[in-house]
Amino acid sequence: MFTKTLSTLVLSTLLLSSAASAETPQDFLATYAASAKAQGNFSGFNAERGKLFFNQTHGNDWSCASCHTANPTQTGKHAKTGKALDPLAPSANAARFTSPKKVEKWFKRNCNDVLDRECSALEKGDVITYLLTFNK
């Protein structure tokens, strides 16, 4: 029990330090892959699964696309506040997925808005993989 807890703590620390140094979408994918592998049953990220996740409402009123549009190369608009949102796809907005602090902040906030919980590493990786399929 103690060994498993210690292993989980060490792995979490390594993943957090890895995420803190990520600077490209591929860096985030590597970090999320390591986390998903540690959780078991990981066979890779999937853009189709990411597309489905991005566009589903997950039993609530909002989906990712509610604010970021079904075409994430376009400017979005927050569903509640109306605030304009820069394109989410890295091909349309090179600043996306370059700051670990921002990526984790927005995944945490937006996943809680859409899912009522934080997203898993697999879900985050699938969504980024999907977003990387867009060309501007």
Side-chain angles (χ1 to χ4, degrees), residues 45-55 126-127 129-130 133:
F45 296 122
N46 181 290
E48 283 301 314
R49 206 169 45 218
K51 178 181 180 180
L52 184 63
F53 183 90
F54 189 86
N55 290 294
D126 283 346
V127 167
T129 299
Y130 166 63
T133 65

Side-chain angles (χ1 to χ4, degrees), residues 1-15 38:
M1 175 88 163
F2 176 74
T3 303
K4 185 175 181 179
T5 302
L6 182 59
S7 296
T8 301
L9 180 62
V10 169
L11 180 60
S12 296
T13 301
L14 290 172
L15 292 174

Side-chain angles (χ1 to χ4, degrees), residues 4 7 22-23 30 33 40-41 45 51 59 67 69 73-74 83 92 94 98-99 115 117 121 127 131 133 135:
K4 185 175 181 179
S7 296
E23 296 178 353
N41 203 22
F45 296 122
K51 178 181 180 180
C67 299
T69 80
T73 63
Q74 304 296 311
K83 178 184 172 188
T98 59
S99 166
L115 304 166
R117 63 171 173 79
V127 167
L131 294 172
T133 65
N135 296 315

Side-chain angles (χ1 to χ4, degrees), residues 24-76:
T24 68
Q26 289 74 20
D27 293 335
F28 286 98
L29 288 175
T31 299
Y32 297 139
S35 181
K37 286 176 187 171
Q39 295 169 353
N41 203 22
F42 175 71
S43 60
F45 296 122
N46 181 290
E48 283 301 314
R49 206 169 45 218
K51 178 181 180 180
L52 184 63
F53 183 90
F54 189 86
N55 290 294
Q56 280 185 335
T57 57
H58 306 276
N60 291 324
D61 294 336
W62 294 355
S63 68
C64 304
S66 298
C67 299
H68 294 287
T69 80
N71 180 352
T73 63
Q74 304 296 311
T75 299

